[in-house]
Amino acid sequence: MKAAVFDRYGPPERLSVTRVPIPEPKPGELRVRVRATTVTRTDTATLRAHPFFARAMTGWVRPRMHILGMDFAGEVDALGAGVTGYAVGDRVFGLLPDHFGGHAEFVCVGAQAAVAPIPDKIAFHEAVVGEGAWYASSTTDGLRSGQSCLIYGASGAIGTAAVQLAKAQGAEVTAVVGTRHLDLAARLGADRVVNYEAEDFTALGPTFDLVMDAVGHTSWFACRRLLKPGGVFSATDLGPFWSNILLGAVSRRVGTPYPNDAPGFVWRLAGMLGAGTFAGVFDRSYALEDIVEAFRYVETGQKTGIVTIRM
Ligand SMILES: NC(=O)c1ccc[n+]([C@@H]2O[C@H](COP(=O)([O-])OP(=O)(O)OC[C@H]3O[C@@H](n4cnc5c(N)ncnc54)[C@H](OP(=O)(O)O)[C@@H]3O)[C@@H](O)[C@H]2O)c1
């Protein structure tokens, strides 16, 4: 099968699209013929081993895994021994948070892992929405109906998902985006949209139960005056001088998304996709052969929502 393979950490040019053996499903696993996947900031950060301590999970000197890609959507192609509930030909999507592997024509995934049927009417390329939404959910799931939140950077994969998930929780959402994304944020359901290029969002006043920095471009110090007493600041990135990690260690009011229960989340997302209460926001799409270009684009930090790869 064709796959985008790397065996050393570094820039996108470390990836090469080459032929590798098709994996055999182990007992309890599905083999999926991948039709669509994504290139995410998790993929680009893992390829570069950034931050350095991430190597504790992926290999200190050389990467333990050789194929990136956390999202997949495709058809079940073979069943390992003992699999029930799925048949060859079923359309499925999911997440590969532990071992990646989506940037390949085939991938094996446990039938009880983060995989679920794709709802009818949702195309393969519309189903690769898990990664950003999973990160976002670990912050937005703490919201209760009637609470207010501000999503800073509501135009990336995490931010576009965070707006929709926060609305689904019944929260009042203020989205902060740049000029080119004002319409998008309103379409996603934000109650109020603030243009960070024209307005100082930190002057909105202490009205929020949650402020989420979904793009790593602000800080607790800039945002703390936006919070009601007891309000929480959550950020996807380390923050200036790792402040989000350091403050998070001593205060419950600062946190970083730490998603868990990927299987449960993928099933929940399937329900939302089917019901039309969640939809991915898609930017460019690349062929697998052009995956180096896709990585370069994602690394610009300028994508809108999700970048997909067609297989
Ligand atoms: N380390 C990891 O494994 C990991 C994994 C996943 C995500 N993350 C972090 O999560 C963050 C979000 O990732 P993502 O994939 O959702 O999105 P992303 O690709 O980082 O989002 C880019 C979006 O942010 C907007 N943006 C750029 N500068 C901005 C600013 N100063 N203020 C507000 N918006 C700005 C861009 O539009 P405009 O420029 O037009 O505003 C663009 O639409 C990233 O910072 C990433 O580092 C880290």
Side-chain angles (χ1 to χ4, degrees):
M1 67 170 181
K2 278 191 290 183
V5 174
F6 75 116
D7 59 12
R8 288 172 61 200
Y9 296 118
E13 293 71 27
R14 290 267 195 259
L15 293 164
S16 65
V17 178
T18 185
R19 291 206 170 267
V20 297
I22 296 177
E24 284 305 320
K26 298 190 185 91
E29 285 187 345
L30 314 171
R31 185 170 67 199
V32 178
R33 185 182 181 93
V34 179
R35 299 295 186 185
T37 180
T38 60
V39 175
T40 66
R41 294 291 294 263
T42 304
D43 295 317
T44 58
T46 306
L47 176 61
R48 286 191 184 267
H50 177 79
F52 188 85
F53 66 73
R55 292 176 186 234
M57 286 170 288
T58 58
W60 282 109
V61 179
R62 290 198 175 226
R64 278 194 290 271
M65 96 290 266
H66 300 287
I67 302 174
L68 293 167
M70 242 174 91
D71 289 296
F72 69 92
E75 293 139 335
V76 176
D77 161 78
L79 303 174
V83 171
T84 55
Y86 289 98
V88 170
D90 284 354
R91 292 170 359 109
V92 294
F93 80 110
L95 278 169
L96 303 158
D98 300 326
H99 56 86
F100 295 77
H103 296 166
E105 287 181 312
F106 295 89
V107 69
C108 290
V109 56
Q112 304 300 320
V115 58
I118 300 175
D120 294 343
K121 297 188 196 154
I122 300 292
F124 292 126
H125 68 272
E126 296 170 320
V128 283
V129 294
E131 193 260 1
W134 189 44
Y135 281 114
S137 71
S138 64
T139 293
T140 56
D141 282 358
L143 285 164
R144 293 189 308 278
S145 184
Q147 288 192 313
S148 65
C149 73
L150 180 143
I151 312 291
Y152 179 78
S155 56
I158 297 175
T160 52
V163 172
Q164 296 178 74
L165 294 171
K167 285 305 298 175
Q169 294 290 112
E172 174 109 353
V173 177
T174 297
V176 183
V177 291
T179 309
R180 69 184 176 119
H181 291 123
L182 294 173
D183 289 346
L184 169 68
R187 268 202 321 277
L188 291 173
D191 301 284
R192 179 174 181 183
V193 181
V194 176
N195 183 349
Y196 74 82
E197 295 176 78
E199 206 177 321
D200 176 11
F201 75 96
T202 65
L204 291 175
T207 57
F208 298 99
D209 298 288
L210 167 71
V211 172
M212 179 179 188
D213 176 7
V215 77
H217 285 302
T218 185
S219 67
W220 156 260
F221 302 102
C223 293
R224 61 187 168 177
R225 66 188 123 144
L226 291 166
L227 293 168
K228 289 178 184 170
V232 171
F233 174 75
S234 174
T236 52
D237 290 66
L238 300 173
F241 308 106
W242 291 31
S243 52
N244 295 332
I245 303 295
L246 298 173
L247 291 167
V250 295
S251 169
R252 285 173 179 228
R253 299 189 65 197
V254 181
T256 47
Y258 192 77
N260 54 28
D261 187 21
F265 180 71
V266 167
W267 277 90
R268 182 173 137 207
L269 200 53
M272 294 182 79
L273 286 169
T277 52
F278 185 94
V281 172
F282 297 100
D283 193 320
R284 299 180 191 175
S285 175
Y286 294 83
L288 180 65
E289 286 70 18
D290 298 323
I291 198 163
V292 171
E293 266 316 304
F295 269 72
R296 286 191 190 123
Y297 178 53
V298 171
E299 284 194 331
T300 63
Q302 290 298 301
K303 70 179 165 62
T304 301
I306 298 164
V307 166
T308 58
I309 300 290
R310 305 180 299 277
M311 305 300 286

